[in-house]
Amino acid sequence: MQPVKTAVFPVGGQGTRFLPATKAVPKEMLPVVDKPLLQYAVDEALAAGIERLVFVTARGKSALEDYFDIARELVDSLQRRGKTAELAVLDDTQLEPGRILYVRQQEPAGLGHAVWCARHVVGREAFAVLLPDELLWSPANPALKEMCAAYDRLGGNIISVLEVPEEHTHRYGIVSPGTVDGLITEVKALVEKPAQGTAPSRLAAIGRYILQPEVMDVLAHGKRGAGGEIQLTDAMAEMIGVQPFHALTFTGTRFDCGDKAGHVMANVALALERDDVGPAVRAWLKTQSL
Ligand code: UTP
């Protein structure tokens, strides 16, 4: 089995839940403490051994390209002023030339459409998809790294899932489970946003996927699903039964940073873990009548 070397980051969405900020700043550039959301996803991909990063962008997202470029004037200025700590912080934002590729999604036709836009870059090999607005926090066992380890054993398609409360299942793509082996669940079907009380399990898909290239052939049909968009879940559903399809339960903490409350929670939780800002935030929280 070939290791997964390519990751697709769909960042073409409009981020309407974060207006007015997203009028001028891409959602993926919103910081959690001091790093943009996208940087967390890129770090996770690199930790999993990903070599090629494909960003599916859109109009108004040029800040992403600037962020992962070398800011020559800034670097020169920091060097002149002897700001070595600040220079070191920039290291993670500067990848070797050619490792990041940009593809444009010309219309926001859905997540499935965004993934399909990367087809020529992905080629005919297994690839990962990471949704950067889902912050999967697990520094010791990064989510995609664990998925790649599962992929080495099982092959086929692997999605990351989390057990959510029954009353939240209608917000997610939910797994209809087959055989369960520890954290691995065989996927019998995927149900997108099931109506209250009809979910086949509480295992919700949370924005990390390892997929076989054949999913691109399904997406090429351009079939519109929920919300009139081309849905990745619908395309994946067609792969089930044709190819092995498993879910790996994520054991870390997941923050839905596409949602305002989730984004605030991520900021508080990650700030509390840090030595520089943690003590001040903790002390302030203690003064609040929560
Ligand atoms: P969301 O459903 O969160 O949509 O997309 P959104 O546009 O980003 O945000 P809201 O709901 O309007 O606030 C989930 C992921 O799919 C990407 C998004 O960038 C995000 O990573 N996406 C979605 C695309 O790349 N293109 C699309 O057409 C839609």
Side-chain angles (χ1 to χ4, degrees):
M1 191 109 54
Q2 292 294 317
V4 181
K5 292 290 175 204
T6 303
V8 176
F9 299 77
V11 288
Q14 292 178 306
T16 53
R17 284 170 290 168
F18 268 97
L19 284 168
T22 45
K23 184 180 172 204
V25 181
K27 176 172 71 173
E28 301 75 19
M29 293 307 292
L30 296 177
V32 170
V33 188
D34 50 7
K35 272 201 305 190
L37 271 171
L38 184 55
Q39 178 81 58
Y40 289 91
V42 164
D43 291 348
E44 185 188 326
L46 296 177
I50 295 295
E51 291 177 356
R52 204 154 41 143
L53 300 93
V54 188
F55 293 171
V56 183
T57 71
R59 282 183 81 79
K61 301 266 180 172
S62 51
L64 299 177
E65 298 187 31
D66 288 341
Y67 178 81
F68 285 102
D69 196 1
I70 294 182
R72 183 51 59 204
E73 283 168 27
L74 175 62
V75 169
D76 289 348
S77 149
L78 292 175
Q79 274 167 348
R80 271 198 309 277
R81 293 186 287 151
K83 300 244 176 202
T84 44
E86 287 79 359
L87 277 166
V89 163
L90 293 183
D91 282 352
D92 290 345
T93 68
Q94 292 163 13
L95 274 69
E96 210 187 329
R99 283 189 75 179
I100 300 186
L101 298 107
Y102 298 90
V103 172
R104 279 271 190 145
Q105 185 187 24
Q106 291 156 329
E107 48 165 339
L111 174 58
H113 180 257
V115 170
W116 174 78
C117 288
R119 66 199 179 285
H120 292 302
V121 183
V122 166
R124 301 308 292 178
E125 53 182 63
F127 63 102
V129 177
L130 296 95
L131 307 191
D133 49 0
E134 297 266 6
L135 203 168
L136 301 193
W137 187 239
S138 180
N141 307 299
L144 189 64
K145 188 172 179 194
E146 298 284 297
M147 292 172 71
C148 286
Y151 176 74
D152 288 344
R153 281 195 297 123
L154 301 164
N157 304 271
I158 314 251
I159 62 171
S160 182
V161 293
L162 192 66
E163 206 162 297
V164 298
E166 171 71 42
E167 61 272 24
H168 291 174
T169 48
H170 67 283
R171 301 180 192 164
Y172 297 92
I174 299 290
V175 166
S176 176
T179 325
V180 180
D181 177 11
L183 297 175
I184 300 280
T185 302
E186 186 193 359
V187 178
K188 288 283 191 196
L190 278 171
V191 188
E192 185 62 36
K193 300 190 175 70
Q196 250 344 326
T198 66
S201 77
R202 294 198 286 124
L203 295 180
I206 50 166
R208 298 291 182 277
Y209 315 84
I210 292 176
L211 300 171
Q212 294 298 317
E214 287 77 12
V215 77
M216 296 294 194
D217 306 333
V218 179
L219 288 168
H221 298 144
K223 211 162 81 188
R224 304 264 167 173
E229 295 189 339
I230 300 170
Q231 299 287 352
L232 182 61
T233 307
D234 294 344
M236 290 191 301
E238 290 197 32
M239 311 288 288
I240 298 167
V242 181
Q243 295 177 339
F245 213 114
H246 295 92
L248 173 66
T249 300
F250 175 58
T251 53
T253 310
R254 171 231 180 211
F255 298 101
D256 177 4
C257 292
D259 170 74
K260 285 186 269 267
H263 183 247
V264 173
M265 287 180 224
N267 271 284
V268 174
L270 270 61
L272 286 174
E273 284 192 18
R274 291 193 20 174
D275 294 337
D276 54 353
V277 289
V281 175
R282 185 169 289 103
W284 178 77
L285 279 173
K286 281 188 184 148
T287 66
Q288 302 302 299
S289 41
L290 296 170

